[in-house]
């Protein structure tokens, strides 16, 4: 709804009715009353409210409130290991965001920014590992996240463009009683509790898994004309990923920090976008960046691709 030419409001509503059923057809895997069957269902009305204000011809601000919903989930992977399917109940989120969008210097510079905060009731997580090599769904009591993000573009000359982005993200699990299985050989830094034959970690206060604290990127593209319909271009892109915890628990071995990876493309392109031929290199510094881990009974990690050279061609018609 347009309040004025400068001020606009938007309201959205969504009704969700979600039902899932899970059957284990090979009943010899597991036993017990109801172990072969799971059924979950829930319904919820979600909503979204935002306001957008043009403060000048080149700048605007906005604010947004949103209420979201993730339906219950069933995880059946552990059936093959003699355990029944695990279930996570519904997850509800309330988020708040405010930001600005701007262009100046004759629209040669673009700068956008935002801050956000959200809370989650019963966040769904996947607990991996432990003595029984399980992959189980769990619900924490609460979770929250906050941060900011910036993105920008600088048209230095008509042929030279630079873009850059930066974000800071702080996430936190809030559940004093959430205990999860841990790796067999790594050095866990969380408080641990022995339950029967299992040692479990208390993950209260930990960040969300695979949620980097800092992320940044920068790109640059320079081109010069060749003839009336083509150009030779040089393009490079670089990405930074800060501290990242891979699992619900924290350990010395399964945390990554300060990862940088870049690439380069040099080629010829038609200005109408119909043809491009380029040579490229990815992971130009040949960095070994850990992207995740497997913590069942050993300290196993998987990494990014090594340095790759190649030639690419693209035709649009």
């Amino acid at each position: 709804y347009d309040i004025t030419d400068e001020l606009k409001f938007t309201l959205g509503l969504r009704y969700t009715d979600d039902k899932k059923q899970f059957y284990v057809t090979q009943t010899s895997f597991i036993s017990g009353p109801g172990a072969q069957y799971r059924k979950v269902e829930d319904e919820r009305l979600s909503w979204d409210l935002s306001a957008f204000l043009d403060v000048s011809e080149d700048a605007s601000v906005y604010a947004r409130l949103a209420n979201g919903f993730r339906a219950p989930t069933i995880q059946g992977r552990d059936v093959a290991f003699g355990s029944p399917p695990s279930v996570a109940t519904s997850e509800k989120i309330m988020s708040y965001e405010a930001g600005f969008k701007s262009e100046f210097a004759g629209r040669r510079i673009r700068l956008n920014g935002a801050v956000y905060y959200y809370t989650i009731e019963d966040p769904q997580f996947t607990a991996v590992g432990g003595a029984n090599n399980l992959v189980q769904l769990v619900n924490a009591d609460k979770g929250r996240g906050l941060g900011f993000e910036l993105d920008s573009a600088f048209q230095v000359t008509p042929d030279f463009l630079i873009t850059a982005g930066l974000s800071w993200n702080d996430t936190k699990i809030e559940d004093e009683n959430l205990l999860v299985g841990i790796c067999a050989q790594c050095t866990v830094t969380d408080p641990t509790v022995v339950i029967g034959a299992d040692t479990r970690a208390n993950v209260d206060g930990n960040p969300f898994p695979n949620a980097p604290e800092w992320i940044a990127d920068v790109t640059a593209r320079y081109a010069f004309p060749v003839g009336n319909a083509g150009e030779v271009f040089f393009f490079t892109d670089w990405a930074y990923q800060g501290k990242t915890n891979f699992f619900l628990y924290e350990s010395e071995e399964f945390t990554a920090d300060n990862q940088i990876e870049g690439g380069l493309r040099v080629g010829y392109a038609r200005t109408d976008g119909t043809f491009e031929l380029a040579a490229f290199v990815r992971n130009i510094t040949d960095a070994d960046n850990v992207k995740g881990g497997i913590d069942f009974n050993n300290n196993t990690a998987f990494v990014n691709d090594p340095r790759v050279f190649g030639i690419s061609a693209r035709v649009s018609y």
Side-chain angles (χ1 to χ4, degrees):
Y1 184 80
D2 295 342
I3 304 296
T4 67
D5 291 340
E6 294 79 20
L7 180 60
K8 305 173 180 64
F9 278 92
T10 302
L11 172 65
L13 296 173
R14 170 181 289 173
Y15 171 72
T16 303
D17 185 6
D18 189 282
K19 299 178 181 179
K20 298 182 180 74
Q21 298 183 41
F22 185 95
Y23 295 90
V24 180
T25 56
Q26 178 55 272
T27 57
S28 61
F29 279 127
I30 54 178
S31 61
Q36 286 80 35
Y37 173 67
R38 289 290 186 271
K39 179 180 179 181
V40 295
E41 58 182 298
D42 201 357
E43 58 180 336
R44 188 172 178 86
L45 183 67
S46 305
W47 55 268
D48 182 298
L49 176 65
S50 62
F52 193 90
L53 175 65
D54 291 321
V55 296
S56 70
E57 292 184 356
D58 300 320
S60 59
V61 294
Y62 72 91
R64 179 172 181 261
L65 303 176
N67 179 269
F69 166 71
R70 177 187 291 178
T73 308
I74 305 172
Q75 163 65 260
R77 181 258 186 199
D78 290 332
V79 169
F81 295 86
S83 297
S86 58
V87 173
T89 59
S90 299
E91 170 184 292
K92 288 80 67 179
I93 183 171
M94 186 69 200
S95 66
Y96 311 84
E97 182 180 348
F100 68 91
K101 299 178 182 293
S102 64
E103 292 180 329
F104 46 95
R107 295 199 166 184
R108 288 176 297 144
I109 299 177
R110 186 192 74 231
L111 181 62
N112 302 328
V115 294
Y116 71 88
Y117 176 80
Y118 63 84
T119 58
I120 310 175
E121 295 182 19
D122 303 315
Q124 299 178 9
F125 292 113
T126 302
V128 181
N132 295 323
N133 286 356
L134 300 179
V135 178
Q136 294 187 320
L137 293 170
V138 296
N139 285 102
D141 183 28
K142 294 180 181 179
R144 68 109 177 105
L146 59 92
F148 71 85
E149 60 181 21
L150 297 169
D151 74 84
S152 59
F154 306 89
Q155 194 74 53
V156 182
T157 71
D159 301 317
F160 186 27
L161 174 66
I162 299 175
T163 71
L166 174 70
S167 72
W168 174 72
N169 313 277
D170 181 57
T171 59
K172 186 177 181 181
I173 299 170
E174 298 179 341
D175 190 334
E176 296 180 354
N177 301 313
L178 183 56
L179 304 175
V180 301
I182 60 175
C183 50
Q185 300 177 6
C186 68
T187 308
V188 176
T189 57
D190 291 322
T192 58
V193 177
V194 178
I195 301 178
D198 294 337
T199 300
R200 300 186 182 183
N202 186 313
V203 299
D204 182 44
N206 286 356
F208 294 171
N210 295 303
E213 185 175 1
W214 287 97
I215 301 173
D217 65 83
V218 61
T219 74
R221 187 182 192 275
Y222 178 77
F224 59 88
V226 175
N228 296 325
E231 63 179 13
V232 172
F233 67 88
F234 301 84
F235 176 81
T236 184
D237 63 293
W238 293 83
Y240 168 83
Q241 178 177 315
K243 183 177 180 180
T244 306
N245 189 52
F246 295 141
F247 302 115
L248 288 172
Y249 61 86
E250 289 189 306
S251 67
E252 295 180 3
E253 290 81 1
F254 288 113
T255 300
D257 201 1
N258 301 327
Q259 298 189 359
I260 300 177
E261 189 170 333
L264 176 68
R265 289 173 59 83
V266 180
Y268 169 82
R270 297 270 299 183
T271 53
D272 61 4
T274 58
F275 175 76
E276 178 185 289
L277 178 66
F280 68 86
V281 54
R282 300 304 308 166
N283 191 7
I284 195 169
T285 61
D286 201 23
D288 293 324
N289 291 326
V290 178
K291 295 301 181 182
I294 303 171
D295 69 339
F296 288 152
N297 55 15
N298 51 41
N299 295 338
T300 302
F302 47 90
V303 301
N304 60 328
D305 289 333
R307 183 189 294 127
V308 176
F309 298 91
I311 298 175
S312 67
R314 178 177 56 83
V315 178
S316 300
Y317 58 91

